[in-house]
Amino acid sequence: MEAILPILVLIEKIAGFLKQIIIAQFFGTTNYTDAYQLAENIISIVRGAFANSVPVVFLTALVYKKVKKEKSKYLIRDVTAYGTVLLLVISTIILGISSFVRILYNDSLFLKNLCNFVIILSPTILLGYISGIFSSVLESEKKYWPSKIVSLLTSIFVVIFVVLLFERISITSILLGEIVALIVHIILLLYLIQRNKYDFMLGGLHESMEAKKIFRNAIPLMLSASIYSINSLVDKAVALSIKDGAATVLQYARIISLDLFPSIIVTAFSGVLIREFSRSVAQNDYNKVEESVGVILESMFCFLTLVAIVSFVNARGLITFVYKRGSFNELSVNMTQIAFLGYVIGIPFYSIREVLARVHYSYEDTHTPFKSSLIGVIINIMLSIVLAQKIGLYGIAIATTISIMTSSLLNYLALRKKKISLKKNIISIVKMIPVFIFLILVCIGINHIFGDTLIALIASSISCVLLFYIITCSLRLESSQFVIGRIREKIGEIV
């Protein structure tokens, strides 16, 4: 099943694109959609802090138990119970604050909409956590695909709810679709766990030193996940001062840049990477960790640089093709293009940051990624506020890119303490710079011939991939051989 993960994630991302196309078509970029985007960010600060942190540390603990041939059902019970109680308390506090603000600022339509959206989305905090924990149980048993379909389910249910209920409840239809999707995902995970009779049980609160250790180790990761959401919230809050709909534009631009190919790669292989890195560390095979990290990062950087080149040169054609229909007009395209050009430069570094963070997690080191994330976010917030005043939306997007680059660099420098050297891989990447410059010129030439059209986008993509393949194979680069070998291996497994 590991072989179909990239295909599954690709399908998931296509479904996500269709969802965003429909949302953009129905709602466009307005002050109302800005309230929805900020509400999503506020909830994701808490939901992401737990759903994207505890399950990661929990998965590492499960893998260690499996290697040591120890039972894990009590740990599963305790981690689930601890998180449920804690998140119920936090959700209740959020509901109380939102209700109070809604009453206090009843004359502000924006704040009223914002609070309403936060209240409706609050159940997703607990649902997202439970989904993450159950997914980790399956991933520890090498069942990776169930954890990768939550976004697919979300896209399906959101589209259904928007199409059927848009005229009655407007944006609320999106929120209800997200809630139902998480519930369905949890039911599916429980069914798969029970059907395969894994070492699993649920129950009430019990004193557990192991569970407490997992939550303690997850704290830096929680803060790191929250910091990214806070960072996004600040960016969108700053964007509100530029123009109505600007916060929504940032989200649309990010979706087709940082959340496209980088997210596909990281999402598809995150569980696999953590498991394999953790296993190598548990077996004290540090040479294998260094070799795997080097080849994977070199391959990712080269491939995603191609994506960045094609996307940057064909930005307007891509945005027009994806979004321009219905309520998403020419003004929305112009605003989205400005932000997109700032984000797309950071595409290669986004995946590098995420993969290097997972290397640190495999060593049970959550502090290093947190520190690098914190520094990056502080830089981003400062630059966003300053650059937004000077160059608007482009300044906010560029600030994010600089932040990602900074975090990636800090995560890389910290690898020295673990005696991991990537010098050879960095030299290989530097040697590819003339090739990348050549490919930029090729894309510019194709865009000049065909203009900002879908044909130019497709022609640039095919030309870059073929030329890069020919050049790297001629040079016999290790990264290209790795990618080609992995593709052939996956195709063989699927067939």
Side-chain angles (χ1 to χ4, degrees):
M1 291 299 293
E2 179 185 342
I4 69 168
L5 286 181
I7 297 175
L8 182 60
V9 175
L10 180 60
I11 294 173
E12 180 183 75
K13 291 300 176 181
I14 291 174
F17 258 127
L18 294 175
K19 180 191 74 173
Q20 291 302 326
I21 289 171
I22 290 175
I23 290 176
Q25 178 181 349
F26 276 84
F27 303 105
T29 54
T30 65
N31 185 263
Y32 191 50
T33 59
D34 284 348
Y36 158 67
Q37 293 295 340
L38 261 67
E40 283 276 14
N41 261 130
I42 291 171
I43 291 297
S44 68
I45 290 174
V46 181
R47 183 177 61 209
F50 286 86
N52 296 332
S53 61
V54 178
V56 173
V57 181
F58 180 56
L59 174 59
T60 301
L62 290 178
V63 171
Y64 270 71
K65 277 187 170 292
K66 193 170 182 64
V67 171
K68 305 294 183 182
K69 297 182 179 179
E70 298 175 357
K71 288 186 175 296
S72 58
K73 64 180 180 181
Y74 298 111
L75 180 61
I76 296 170
R77 176 198 64 189
D78 296 334
V79 171
T80 304
Y82 274 52
T84 298
V85 172
L86 181 59
L87 291 177
L88 283 174
V89 173
I90 293 174
S91 297
T92 302
I93 294 173
I94 291 174
L95 287 172
I97 294 174
S98 299
S99 300
F100 177 75
V101 172
R102 185 175 58 180
I103 295 172
L104 188 64
Y105 297 96
N106 190 50
D107 294 336
S108 173
L109 182 60
F110 178 82
L111 286 177
K112 186 177 180 180
N113 289 332
L114 176 62
C115 291
N116 287 337
F117 294 151
V118 168
I119 290 171
I120 296 172
L121 281 171
S122 59
T124 63
I125 295 174
L126 177 58
L127 293 174
Y129 173 78
I130 295 175
S131 172
I133 293 298
F134 291 174
S135 294
S136 293
V137 174
L138 290 170
E139 287 186 354
S140 70
E141 300 287 345
K142 296 188 177 182
K143 300 291 183 182
Y144 302 111
W145 70 266
S147 64
K148 309 307 178 189
I149 64 170
V150 61
S151 294
L152 177 61
L153 291 174
T154 300
S155 298
I156 292 172
F157 281 101
V158 165
V159 168
I160 293 173
F161 276 64
V162 168
V163 172
L164 295 180
L165 302 176
F166 164 73
E167 294 183 354
R168 295 183 181 180
I169 56 176
S170 190
I171 285 182
T172 305
S173 58
I174 301 176
L175 314 184
L176 293 180
E178 293 178 5
I179 294 172
V180 172
L182 282 172
I183 293 173
V184 172
H185 188 238
I186 290 171
I187 293 173
L188 173 63
L189 294 174
L190 272 174
Y191 166 74
L192 293 172
I193 290 170
Q194 294 296 330
R195 189 188 69 174
N196 290 281
K197 298 180 180 180
Y198 293 140
D199 188 23
F200 175 87
M201 70 179 295
L202 297 175
L205 282 174
H206 293 78
E207 186 70 20
S208 173
M209 296 303 296
E210 282 188 291
K212 290 181 179 180
K213 181 182 178 182
I214 286 175
F215 275 89
R216 282 198 302 270
N217 290 340
I219 288 175
L221 193 51
M222 288 182 188
L223 296 174
S224 178
S226 297
I227 283 171
Y228 286 131
S229 297
I230 293 171
N231 181 37
S232 179
L233 181 63
V234 171
D235 283 352
K236 290 174 182 176
V238 171
L240 290 176
S241 64
I242 298 175
K243 189 178 182 62
D244 283 351
T248 306
V249 161
L250 286 178
Q251 181 65 17
Y252 287 146
R254 187 181 179 95
I255 285 170
I256 56 174
S257 56
L258 301 180
D259 292 343
L260 182 56
F261 284 102
S263 181
I264 288 176
I265 292 175
V266 173
T267 303
F269 294 104
S270 59
V272 180
L273 291 176
I274 291 174
R275 180 183 177 86
E276 295 307 318
F277 289 158
S278 298
R279 184 179 296 276
S280 297
V281 172
Q283 296 172 347
N284 296 320
D285 191 353
Y286 301 113
N287 289 331
K288 184 177 180 181
V289 174
E290 178 179 317
E291 181 182 356
S292 300
V293 172
V295 176
I296 289 171
L297 286 182
E298 183 182 337
S299 305
M300 280 188 177
F301 188 89
C302 291
F303 174 72
L304 291 175
T305 299
L306 295 184
V307 173
I309 290 171
V310 173
S311 300
F312 189 92
V313 176
N314 297 278
R316 189 170 189 82
L318 174 61
I319 294 167
T320 300
F321 170 70
V322 174
Y323 290 130
K324 191 181 179 184
R325 55 185 57 81
S327 298
F328 201 95
N329 53 30
E330 189 68 23
L331 176 61
S332 298
V333 171
N334 293 336
M335 292 173 64
T336 305
Q337 181 182 1
I338 292 171
F340 178 80
L341 291 175
Y343 282 136
V344 77
I345 301 172
I347 284 179
F349 300 95
Y350 176 84
S351 291
I352 288 176
R353 183 190 68 185
E354 297 302 310
V355 172
L356 289 179
R358 282 160 173 78
V359 176
H360 291 296
Y361 300 153
S362 67
Y363 283 83
E364 295 189 304
D365 174 14
T366 55
H367 293 80
T368 298
F370 166 67
K371 291 176 183 178
S372 64
S373 298
L374 179 60
I375 294 172
V377 166
I378 292 173
I379 292 173
N380 186 29
I381 291 175
M382 293 172 60
L383 289 177
S384 290
I385 295 172
V386 174
L387 295 179
Q389 298 175 351
K390 298 182 179 297
I391 49 179
L393 286 171
Y394 187 70
I396 297 175
I398 281 293
T400 298
T401 295
I402 294 173
S403 169
I404 292 172
M405 291 178 177
T406 303
S407 298
S408 300
L409 177 61
L410 293 174
N411 278 334
Y412 164 71
L413 293 176
L415 289 178
R416 295 178 180 178
K417 295 180 180 180
K418 298 175 175 63
K419 298 181 180 180
I420 296 178
S421 174
L422 303 178
K423 183 177 180 180
K424 180 181 70 173
N425 305 99
I426 293 175
I427 292 174
S428 296
I429 291 173
V430 171
K431 290 180 178 179
M432 292 301 299
I433 291 178
V435 178
F436 294 139
I437 294 174
F438 169 69
L439 294 177
I440 290 173
L441 296 176
V442 170
C443 287
I444 292 175
I446 292 174
N447 184 266
H448 180 73
I449 294 172
F450 295 103
D452 295 316
T453 62
L454 181 60
I455 295 176
L457 178 63
I458 295 173
S460 296
S461 302
I462 295 174
S463 299
C464 277
V465 170
L466 289 178
L467 289 172
F468 184 79
Y469 172 79
I470 293 171
I471 294 171
T472 54
C473 284
S474 300
L475 296 176
R476 297 185 179 277
L477 293 181
E478 184 179 3
S479 59
S480 64
Q481 300 302 316
F482 171 79
V483 172
I484 296 168
R486 288 293 287 174
I487 291 174
R488 288 174 178 171
E489 178 183 331
K490 296 299 180 185
I491 293 174
E493 291 178 4
I494 295 171
V495 175

